[in-house]
Amino acid sequence: MPAMLDDPTSPPILHKVDKAAHEFTPEHVTLKNGSAATILPFTSLDQVPPSLVAFLHAQLSAEIEGGDTYPMLDALPLESFGPYWFGVFGTVMLEGDFKSSEEVKNMDADWSNVCLGSFYIKPNYPGRSSHVCNAGFLVTSAARNKGVGKLLGKQYLRWAPKLGFTYSVFNLVYETNVASTKIWDSLGFERIGRVKKCGKLKSYPGRKIDAIVYGYDFEPDSTE
């Protein structure tokens, strides 16, 4: 259920995300099949096991190669993926019950059996608009049809405001990505725009696909 991955080569955004303002503790959730899982927060790359970073990189690379959800033609190098995905605030969903992110720091598991998905949160715009955030989502290949995507989406709505963000924008969700559009529609995201004929996707040769721009107001009653 990926949302758009923006350009990792763009200039750095001058925004100080206050990751210490709230305590971020693991969120314990239940999958569709009744299994327990934990969504773990990470505030820096050095908290994440290198083998887990490599696994998530391989999963994202396969999604990009699929050519139907992300706009890039080529995958990010591994050395760029880690700082990009976990550079501001990242999460990982693992099957099982974990008490803290520290618990997995030195873990070297078979992540294909344990890791269900991940998302990051970061500013979508620079400077005066950097209180508006963006996110990228990844559900691993072994975790399909377990309700992972929607659980990650719900957690995004809880943690993004705690980081000081007041609004969310997903820049590019191809309308053919039905798994994603169903989730964002069901969670109350607004369809705030449409980018016509912007996607040349592998599954639709000779046709250009529209993309939906999604927005979510974390302060719906605020006028500021």
Side-chain angles (χ1 to χ4, degrees):
M1 48 151 278
M4 180 203 175
L5 187 72
D6 53 336
D7 182 5
T9 64
S10 61
I13 295 174
L14 300 177
H15 177 87
K16 184 177 181 181
V17 177
D18 191 355
K19 291 177 276 194
H22 296 267
E23 182 180 0
F24 292 93
T25 57
E27 183 75 11
H28 298 94
V29 296
T30 303
L31 305 176
K32 278 184 178 180
N33 62 6
S35 298
T38 309
I39 305 175
L40 295 159
F42 295 96
T43 56
S44 66
L45 176 59
D46 60 10
Q47 297 172 333
V48 190
S51 59
L52 177 54
V53 175
F55 171 74
L56 289 170
H57 171 258
Q59 291 287 303
L60 180 64
S61 298
E63 192 70 41
I64 292 170
E65 177 62 28
D68 286 328
T69 54
Y70 286 109
M72 294 88 72
L73 294 175
D74 300 307
L76 299 174
L78 176 59
E79 60 271 21
S80 299
F81 169 78
Y84 181 81
W85 199 267
F86 293 100
V88 176
F89 185 89
T91 77
V92 176
M93 183 191 285
L94 301 181
E95 191 155 11
D97 185 7
F98 294 86
K99 301 296 188 273
S100 70
S101 301
E102 186 69 22
E103 189 177 340
V104 304
K105 185 174 182 180
N106 297 314
M107 190 173 165
D108 190 14
D110 180 356
W111 298 112
S112 63
N113 292 327
V114 180
C115 182
L116 303 174
S118 178
F119 70 87
Y120 69 74
I121 306 174
K122 61 178 60 181
N124 193 52
Y125 306 112
R128 298 183 189 279
S129 294
S130 57
H131 54 283
V132 177
C133 65
N134 176 265
F137 292 81
L138 182 64
V139 175
T140 64
S141 55
R144 309 291 181 183
N145 303 313
K146 293 184 178 181
V148 170
K150 191 165 186 177
L151 289 169
L152 291 174
K154 286 181 177 179
Q155 196 59 35
Y156 168 65
L157 295 180
R158 296 185 186 103
W159 279 343
K162 287 187 175 184
L163 291 166
F165 295 110
T166 60
Y167 196 84
S168 167
V169 171
F170 295 162
N171 303 299
L172 202 69
V173 181
Y174 296 123
E175 66 176 358
T176 50
N177 188 355
V178 177
S180 282
T181 58
K182 281 185 176 179
I183 289 171
W184 308 131
D185 289 338
S186 70
L187 291 178
F189 283 75
E190 295 180 84
R191 296 188 176 206
I192 59 174
R194 176 176 288 267
V195 186
K196 301 287 287 185
K197 301 179 181 179
C198 69
K200 297 180 179 180
L201 308 184
K202 279 192 174 182
S203 293
Y204 302 89
R207 174 184 167 194
K208 297 184 180 69
I209 303 300
D210 290 3
I212 300 163
V213 184
Y214 278 99
Y216 194 99
D217 191 351
F218 299 129
E219 298 180 336
D221 298 322
S222 173
T223 57
E224 296 183 5

